[in-house]
Amino acid sequence: MKQGFATRAIHAGQDPEGLTGAVTVPLFQTSTYAQTAVGQHKGFEYARTHNPTRLAWENNIAALEGGAQGVAFSSGMATLDSIMKLFARGDHIVASEDMYGGTFRLFDKVYRRFGLEFSYIDMTDPTRLADALQSSTKMVFTESPTNPMMSVIDIEAVAGLCKAHNALLVVDNTFMTPYLQRPLELGADIVMHSVTKYLGGHSDLVGGVAVTGSDELAEELKFVQNAAGAVPGPLDCWLCLRSSKTLALRMRQHDENARAVAEMCNEHPKIEKTLYPGLPSHPQHELARRQSSGFGGMISIELGSEERAHTFAERLKIFLLAESLGGVESLVNHPASMTHGSVPPETRRRLGISDGLIRLSVGIEDKADLLRDIEQALDAI
Ligand code: P1T
């Protein structure tokens, strides 16, 4: 019988070490490996290509996402950058118009210069995708839920359209993690993460990873991983293995705390709108229930003006004002001026990333303390 998620998180790729029986995968902090004769080695030649700690982390995350292989990179952006190297001039990519600002920047400011073409659409409506697909479309890219508007994309419906069109579906699963959502099981070809967020989970590393549904795709990505070399260091991989062991516990608490925060925000008179897929009022609430086993720790709220948003963010005491998300500590972010500053103002306006929008990454502190912190910050506006 297939082992449960938490068991796989603790054991997959993490057998006791052969020489000493060490229960924890050792940190192989080495750049190269001695050969006994020219060309005779133990499968490890040079650390850009192979590292045992990295390999353990890649096997671990592949088991959690239910994929063929994991391929680790030095950041979330390096992961996407490496995926983009699978394509060539003239290839067309369809992406969700709501996504992390840095992803838009990579597409628009870097890969457009290399001759790739992009269409940005409202991915919540699969008919828009059907209209956007062209004969040159090679990839469809989406997050779900999206950053920061928390829209939920029907991954299975999008995957069906991609299959019929021979386009790869790449899903950024950073907000959900495989504990709550497994896009490969819904038909995606590649799932990627900013490991900096929930997978790392402690705001102490920058990393990224891709998991493919097929060995063939994994080999293509591993070729880029070695050829371009945006690899993570062994210490970061070791930290990821440690974090993986508590992923199930952490995600359960992020989810529980965020539900309480979202409910409170939803009822508060000073908050105009609360965007959280776990609220029955969310437009894709039923879809979120169907394709994920929880709603995660991310919430966006509309406070009505930049001044109110700034006051709220600055008055919070436990929630720290910072970029990033997914750590054990709660964070607050002002997307328009921080994470989504590189999105053109007219696009931000159209998507609803207003100057009054605030994004909360709800941590795993005591729920009552988080609710009190929000209450006192709202009192100030
Ligand atoms: O920061 P990096 O590890 O390179 O990951 C980029 C990235 C990719 N995908 C998603 C969904 C992300 O949210 C991010 C990074 N996001 C933030 C820093 C943020 O605060 O939204």
Side-chain angles (χ1 to χ4, degrees):
M1 206 176 85
K2 192 178 170 188
Q3 290 178 332
F5 186 91
T7 308
R8 278 180 285 142
I10 292 167
H11 293 288
Q14 308 201 59
D15 289 337
E17 189 260 340
L19 210 59
T20 63
V23 164
T24 300
V25 173
L27 170 57
F28 285 93
Q29 188 77 41
T30 187
S31 63
T32 193
Y33 309 87
Q35 306 194 3
T36 49
V38 175
Q40 280 183 28
H41 53 76
K42 300 183 164 93
F44 297 90
E45 282 176 90
Y46 182 60
R48 172 162 32 77
T49 326
H50 296 113
N51 176 284
T53 315
R54 188 177 91 203
L55 183 61
W57 160 233
E58 290 172 332
N59 289 339
N60 179 259
I61 186 67
L64 298 188
E65 285 286 5
Q69 293 184 45
V71 193
F73 296 95
S74 53
S75 69
M77 293 325 302
T79 308
L80 187 58
D81 183 64
S82 301
I83 292 170
M84 297 313 291
K85 291 187 170 93
L86 302 178
F87 305 105
R89 172 176 292 277
D91 286 349
H92 176 242
I93 281 123
V94 182
S96 160
E97 58 186 354
D98 182 30
M99 57 186 172
Y100 171 55
T103 299
F104 172 75
R105 182 173 55 200
L106 180 71
F107 289 166
D108 193 60
K109 298 286 189 286
V110 179
Y111 278 97
R112 210 152 55 87
R113 271 199 288 119
F114 285 87
L116 270 73
E117 289 160 18
F118 295 89
S119 299
Y120 301 99
I121 62 159
D122 173 0
M123 199 73 76
T124 59
D125 179 359
T127 61
R128 303 263 179 111
L129 175 60
D131 291 343
L133 289 167
Q134 304 172 7
S135 57
S136 58
T137 306
K138 293 286 164 57
M139 165 178 148
V140 173
F141 176 87
T142 191
E143 302 167 353
S144 184
T146 58
N147 182 1
M149 297 307 289
M150 302 304 297
S151 296
V152 179
I153 311 301
D154 188 337
I155 297 171
E156 203 164 14
V158 168
L161 287 166
C162 290
K163 287 264 174 321
H165 222 85
N166 248 337
L168 288 182
L169 174 59
V170 178
V171 176
D172 184 332
N173 203 26
T174 298
F175 271 30
M176 287 276 96
T177 83
Y179 180 68
L180 297 176
Q181 174 172 282
R182 285 177 296 283
L184 297 175
E185 292 174 3
L186 298 167
D189 299 287
I190 300 177
V191 53
M192 64 156 279
H193 286 271
S194 168
V195 167
T196 319
K197 312 297 167 7
Y198 290 104
L199 296 185
H202 298 72
S203 306
D204 54 9
L205 64 89
V206 172
V209 77
V211 180
T212 61
S214 74
D215 287 320
E216 194 186 335
L217 255 181
E219 292 313 319
E220 285 182 45
L221 262 186
K222 283 193 164 172
F223 177 82
V224 177
Q225 181 193 39
N226 182 51
V231 293
L235 174 60
D236 286 348
C237 296
W238 186 87
L239 285 168
C240 287
L241 284 168
R242 191 174 67 166
S243 296
S244 200
K245 294 174 186 179
T246 57
L247 182 63
L249 279 175
R250 286 186 287 112
M251 291 316 294
R252 279 204 286 273
Q253 199 61 46
H254 280 295
D255 184 84
E256 184 184 320
N257 285 2
R259 286 182 202 217
V261 169
E263 273 164 27
M264 182 200 140
C265 290
N266 198 37
E267 276 160 25
H268 202 285
K270 287 188 180 167
I271 297 177
E272 294 181 8
K273 233 182 332 188
T274 301
L275 309 173
Y276 183 65
L279 292 171
S281 56
H282 187 283
Q284 295 100 31
H285 175 66
E286 284 310 315
L287 170 62
R289 287 172 66 106
R290 213 167 55 237
Q291 77 178 8
S292 317
S293 56
F295 308 107
M298 300 301 298
I299 303 169
S300 290
I301 54 175
E302 176 56 58
L303 289 168
S305 76
E306 185 168 13
E307 192 197 337
R308 287 160 66 92
H310 283 194
T311 305
F312 175 73
E314 289 161 13
R315 287 297 176 104
L316 284 165
K317 294 191 173 96
I318 297 174
F319 283 80
L320 303 173
L321 178 58
E323 304 230 3
S324 202
L325 59 105
V328 290
E329 60 288 287
S330 294
L331 299 180
V332 56
N333 163 54
H334 182 243
S337 64
M338 294 167 69
T339 49
H340 292 71
S342 53
V343 177
E346 66 276 10
T347 309
R348 285 206 303 266
R349 258 193 300 280
R350 189 159 39 79
L351 296 177
I353 308 172
S354 72
D355 292 342
L357 190 79
I358 283 288
R359 193 190 70 188
L360 299 170
S361 171
V362 180
I364 62 170
E365 299 96 335
D366 285 298
K367 198 166 38 186
D369 291 332
L370 298 181
L371 295 175
R372 256 198 307 275
D373 195 29
I374 291 172
E375 191 77 58
Q376 66 79 26
L378 285 170
D379 284 347
I381 66 175

